[in-house]
Amino acid sequence: MADNILITGPSLDPAAARLLVEAGYRPVYVPAYADGNGLIVAMAAADPVGILARMGHVGEAALNAAPRLAVISKHGAGVDNIDVDAASRRGIPVLNAAGANAVSVAEHAIALLFAVSKKVIPLDRGIREGRWEKSGFQGRELAGSVMGLVAFGAIARQTARFAKALGMEVRAHDPFAPADVFAAEGVESVEDLDALFAASDIISLHSPLTPATRHLVNAERLELMKPDAIIINTARGGLIDEAALSAALARARIFGAGLDTFAQEPPPADHPFWSESRLVLSPHIGGVTAAANRRVGIEAAQGIVDILAGRPVPQARIVNRAKLTIPA
């Protein structure tokens, strides 16, 4: 009987699923955002040798229910929905597929920026409700604006290319990116994050969520921003202090924000964001395109197959490599 690979979601791109099957494994799916006891029960029933993590949180209790588990591979870049420390204590490598969805997520960042800056949502709503709000409307031109990128990985670099093509000046803050990466993209490196917030017309977040980056957009940094500044977040919701952002928007401290991610997903029904017209929101779908799903799914599945076969994987893909001994 084939060993199981648990997919924490209801589906996987057919090419990625086929890759697992052809390698001799059986994909087992769980409902979207299965969490807590539901995931533990599914884990115990499947007894998987690998997890392909899509939706919901894979915590220590779930790992305890899978004694044969040998690898976790994230369907994407961010691994904050995986208890990496617990996996590391068990000697389980955690892989990601950073960069495979860069084009799609960067496109979505630009789409959110246009929707916020051009007020597309309220204008569309007005027409549908019988209002013709041309009189008194004043649009906003993005060419010539300064976009500040927080982190400068694959998605941020693709976002920079799109922004520059639209006539924007791009600067970025990333203490871990080498100077030649900034030079290759023609993007100015800004060491002081506060200075980046103060000087930018647009802040686009691309950082992973870590204890150091949690709430990097806080009340203090919002006060530094220009009154017509825009925040875009296609990374992780926890990067923003949502209460502080709600307060800033309520008093028009900044122009608006476009958010694809939230601290709690889905957000609660009483979240203050729902009443804020300066926000454009989407349900964490920046990388959910047919092309990106195929690339990310195949890369995530191939990582599982390679680890289980004892084949080397690029060290940069093993997010907990410093705590493990994995074939190079």
Side-chain angles (χ1 to χ4, degrees):
M1 182 179 293
D3 286 326
N4 292 331
I5 305 298
L6 192 77
I7 318 297
T8 61
S11 64
L12 188 65
D13 181 84
R18 187 165 56 249
L19 191 157
L20 293 173
V21 171
E22 290 176 351
Y25 300 103
R26 176 174 174 260
V28 176
Y29 300 91
V30 299
Y33 295 101
D35 223 331
N37 289 335
L39 183 57
I40 292 169
V41 170
M43 197 80 73
D47 187 25
V49 294
I51 296 173
L52 200 154
R54 293 201 64 193
M55 306 169 185
H57 185 264
V58 181
E60 185 166 14
L63 299 183
N64 289 340
R68 297 199 302 140
L69 185 65
V71 58
I72 303 172
S73 188
K74 176 62 189 287
H75 191 276
V79 295
D80 52 287
N81 66 327
I82 299 167
D83 191 332
V84 177
D85 288 337
S88 299
R89 289 193 296 271
R90 290 160 175 74
I92 298 169
V94 178
L95 314 182
N96 70 2
N101 62 355
V103 172
S104 290
V105 178
E107 287 179 347
H108 195 68
I110 297 298
L112 287 172
L113 175 58
F114 273 115
V116 174
S117 64
K118 305 298 185 181
K119 300 186 178 181
V120 172
I121 305 302
L123 290 172
D124 174 86
R125 184 183 303 117
I127 290 178
R128 293 174 187 273
E129 293 174 356
R131 299 188 302 277
W132 188 257
E133 299 171 307
K134 183 173 182 178
S135 178
F137 177 78
Q138 184 67 54
R140 174 173 178 170
E141 194 170 80
L142 290 172
S145 299
V146 174
M147 174 179 277
L149 303 172
V150 180
F152 202 50
I155 296 171
R157 294 196 295 272
Q158 185 61 57
T159 303
R161 293 168 199 143
F162 289 151
K164 289 175 66 179
L166 292 167
M168 292 182 240
E169 178 186 341
V170 183
R171 304 169 186 171
H173 168 84
D174 191 332
F176 304 104
D180 60 343
V181 172
F182 291 95
E185 298 292 342
V187 170
E188 178 185 347
S189 174
V190 178
E191 293 185 9
D192 188 325
L193 185 57
D194 288 346
L196 185 72
F197 270 73
S200 298
D201 302 297
I202 302 138
I203 289 288
S204 188
L205 304 178
H206 301 279
S207 171
L209 180 61
T210 68
T213 62
R214 184 174 294 277
H215 288 184
L216 68 83
V217 178
N218 52 28
E220 291 75 20
R221 288 205 171 102
L222 287 163
E223 288 299 316
L224 295 174
M225 298 182 73
K226 298 178 180 181
D228 61 350
I230 294 170
I231 293 174
I232 302 297
N233 188 11
T234 53
R236 287 294 182 267
L239 299 174
I240 296 176
D241 180 337
E242 292 180 345
L245 178 58
S246 292
L249 290 167
R251 60 189 179 91
R253 178 62 193 81
I254 61 172
F255 184 87
L259 309 178
D260 186 49
T261 60
F262 306 88
Q264 177 183 326
E265 295 185 349
D270 61 350
H271 200 293
F273 281 173
W274 305 143
S275 61
E276 181 48 67
S277 63
R278 295 171 180 268
L279 281 172
V280 175
L281 309 172
S282 58
H284 204 156
I285 47 74
V288 184
T289 65
N293 275 347
R294 185 168 298 108
R295 288 193 300 267
V296 173
I298 289 172
E299 189 164 326
Q302 187 66 59
I304 289 175
V305 170
D306 288 341
I307 288 290
L308 293 176
R311 292 192 291 266
V313 299
Q315 290 291 292
R317 288 194 58 202
I318 307 170
V319 298
N320 57 345
R321 60 189 178 277
K323 300 178 181 179
L324 299 172
T325 302
I326 300 296

